[in-house]
Amino acid sequence: MADTAPAAIPAPVRLLLHGGEDRTLGGPSVRVPRSAEALRRIGWPAEAGLYESAAQIPEETVHLFNVWPPESALAALRDLRAAGKRVVFSPIYLDFSEMPLWEPLQQPYLPLQTRAALRRQLQTRGQHHEIAPGYHAMVREMLALCDHVIFLSEAERAALAAIGAEVPPERASLVHNPVDAALWPGGDPALFRQAHLPAGAGDYVICIGRVEPRKNQLSLARALRDLPLDLVLVGHDGDPGYAARIRAELGERLIRPGRLEPGGEMLRSALAAPAPSCWRAGPRA
């Protein structure tokens, strides 16, 4: 009988959040532990945690997520590189180049010609808006410190290249965000309606995400103002002043259940109960 080589044991990996992700509870706070769980299911030793220092990480390979906040992301990457770790990085980079337009474009009844003129004005500046001073230089250094970069889309890759943060093809992969489709069907609509909607409430549109300007919920509220639909915003206030402006648009037609447990029965119920073809998650500015 021929000898057979033993199967190679995958090297352990540590998946890392940083900054205040354990408190702000954004997308990575769900994605990172679930990714570690999925790796373990296929036999790959993986743990998830919040970055504190490279000295506390026994694994030689680490996977850090998110360029934001940039101070903690860059500090973590510098520390990991100095410790000799093999570093994989998912930037989850958002293009803020049109951020100066967010406020003027959200004015009600803005003529299309004015919208077009505002966009032309921004384009002629030939500059990409920085959400914080020195932000683009920090992002460029982050990507230079990594052994491998994972992009969520070609749009993310292009947005990073536009600020000079290009990554050679041999150091990059494209991995789209997955959806656990089997998780969402079969929710009981009555559960959410009884817990969060007033008696006699009709159809509604649902949007899931932190309530903040870059999610553009204000434009969604204005689009619904003259329609016989309520608006359900699932998520906590990232910007209380912005949330108040949305409330001013719709009054009691705005339903705020707060943050619902990802994949939980209440969220499944909320997605089962809106009007047909009216489901929407995470609108973009």
Side-chain angles (χ1 to χ4, degrees), residues 229-253:
L229 296 166
D230 292 338
L231 174 59
V232 173
L233 297 183
V234 175
H236 61 271
D237 289 350
D239 184 331
Y242 186 71
R245 293 172 65 187
I246 299 172
R247 173 69 67 185
E249 290 289 332
L250 292 179
E252 295 304 313
R253 292 172 52 202

Side-chain angles (χ1 to χ4, degrees), residues 102-110 115 216-227 231 242 245-246 248-250 253:
W102 292 358
E103 185 64 29
L105 287 178
Q106 289 191 71
Q107 299 306 310
Y109 308 115
L110 191 68
R115 290 179 183 272
N216 204 18
Q217 292 104 333
L218 181 58
S219 291
L220 178 57
R222 286 175 174 158
L224 295 177
R225 188 164 44 191
D226 297 325
L227 297 176
L231 174 59
Y242 186 71
R245 293 172 65 187
I246 299 172
E249 290 289 332
L250 292 179
R253 292 172 52 202

Side-chain angles (χ1 to χ4, degrees), residues 37-196:
E37 180 183 347
L39 285 170
R40 291 193 295 269
R41 284 201 301 266
I42 62 172
W44 201 296
E47 297 294 335
L50 183 70
Y51 175 81
E52 294 182 1
S53 75
Q56 298 178 358
I57 301 172
E59 294 87 353
E60 291 302 314
T61 301
V62 297
H63 186 170
L64 189 74
F65 291 75
N66 212 346
V67 297
W68 195 266
E71 295 81 8
S72 60
L74 185 54
L77 288 166
R78 286 172 174 170
D79 189 27
L80 292 165
R81 172 57 65 196
K85 303 293 185 182
R86 183 174 187 273
V87 180
V88 180
F89 186 43
S90 289
I92 319 179
Y93 177 77
L94 298 175
D95 182 2
F96 291 105
S97 60
E98 292 193 353
M99 190 174 179
L101 297 179
W102 292 358
E103 185 64 29
L105 287 178
Q106 289 191 71
Q107 299 306 310
Y109 308 115
L110 191 68
L112 292 178
Q113 297 90 334
T114 305
R115 290 179 183 272
L118 285 169
R119 292 187 183 278
R120 285 196 301 272
Q121 180 182 355
L122 185 66
Q123 291 167 356
T124 56
R125 294 178 189 172
Q127 298 176 348
H128 288 270
H129 175 77
E130 286 193 299
I131 194 170
Y135 177 54
H136 292 167
M138 296 173 77
V139 172
R140 288 192 290 270
E141 183 179 351
M142 290 179 209
L143 270 64
L145 288 168
C146 303
D147 293 286
H148 201 81
V149 177
I150 296 180
F151 298 114
L152 290 174
S153 65
E154 290 294 351
E156 181 187 23
R157 190 199 304 261
L160 284 161
I163 64 167
E166 294 183 85
V167 180
E170 64 272 14
R171 284 207 302 119
S173 298
L174 177 62
V175 180
H176 297 293
N177 265 344
V179 175
D180 189 353
L183 181 64
W184 301 107
D188 178 8
L191 181 65
F192 180 78
R193 286 189 172 275
Q194 292 170 2
H196 296 288

